[in-house]
Amino acid sequence: MAKELVHLAIIMDGNGRWAKSKGLPRTAGHLQGLKALKKVVQGCIDNGIRYLTVYCFSTENWKRPEAEVNYLMTLFTNKVYGEIRALNEMGVAIRLLGNREGLPPEALRNLDKAVDESAANDKLVLQLAINYGGYDEICRAVNALVAEGVTQVTPELIRSKFDNPDIPVVDFIVRSAGEVRLSNFLLFDSAYAELGFYDEYWPDWDETMIERIKKDYSSRVRRFGGLV
Ligand code: IPE
Ligand code: IPE
Ligand code: MG
């Protein structure tokens, strides 16, 4: 089995705990988390990873206090597009994953602009999972098939209705901050993904974590149900 790490996905967790450990408000953790993301993106480029999917906001995160949700939405609205020049220089193409319904129109407008203006970049595809839920992804895909009159589904048909079916299935899903669960992330595509859990809070991540992750992945044996 080819063991090249092509598509890495990250559950970026621990922003709040990082901030708390420093006596800062939770929002400071989210801002620092964005800085960590830039370093991690560079680390992925340096290590030849072609696709990076990051869990930015789950369909469950709406349960958080309104002020925190608003802060996160403002980050998605202003900061992602604000980084467009840097992202273009790095060769990063932005893609969106998740349910557009419920996201503020201004956030969508700026995120769509970032997608459009970075589409030609070919070093790394950075898939931002915003208002993403694994249940929602599967249900939206199945409902799209039902609307077309499909009465029998297959895994391939379901996947064909995902937001970005051209992006290869994830190889390695990692999570920061020591929690050991998927929290509704990539439920379908995680079927045969390798999983990795790291104690460091997300805002403390940088390029060196990606070197570690690449090394850890290279020691995994992927059998996909067969024998190696
Ligand atoms: C991850 O960090 C960021 C989002 C879920 C948006 P958290 O905000 O979950 O940080 P902790 O888990 O409370 O430390
Ligand atoms: C998962 O983190 C969602 C994101 C990283 C965006 P959470 O902090 O929301 O997950 P739980 O609630 O601890 O499972
Ligand atoms: Mg958390």
Side-chain angles (χ1 to χ4, degrees), residues 48-116:
I49 294 166
R50 305 291 301 189
Y51 300 89
L52 173 66
T53 299
V54 287
Y55 205 4
C56 303
F57 193 90
S58 74
T59 48
E60 287 70 38
N61 285 146
W62 298 105
K63 293 178 194 160
R64 294 191 178 197
E66 200 183 334
E68 180 167 343
V69 170
N70 288 345
Y71 183 82
L72 287 165
M73 291 301 147
T74 308
L75 280 190
F76 305 145
T77 307
N78 297 329
K79 293 283 178 186
V80 176
Y81 188 66
E83 292 291 341
I84 194 72
R85 261 177 71 173
L87 292 166
N88 279 334
E89 273 165 26
M90 291 162 90
V92 176
I94 301 278
R95 302 284 292 273
L96 298 180
L97 175 67
N99 197 328
R100 298 172 66 88
E101 264 173 50
L103 286 175
E106 208 196 337
L108 280 175
R109 217 169 18 248
N110 280 9
L111 289 165
D112 286 339
K113 264 203 288 186
V115 171
D116 287 348

Side-chain angles (χ1 to χ4, degrees), residues 9 84 144 181 190 219 223:
I84 194 72
R181 60 177 167 273
S190 61
S219 71
R223 281 182 286 271

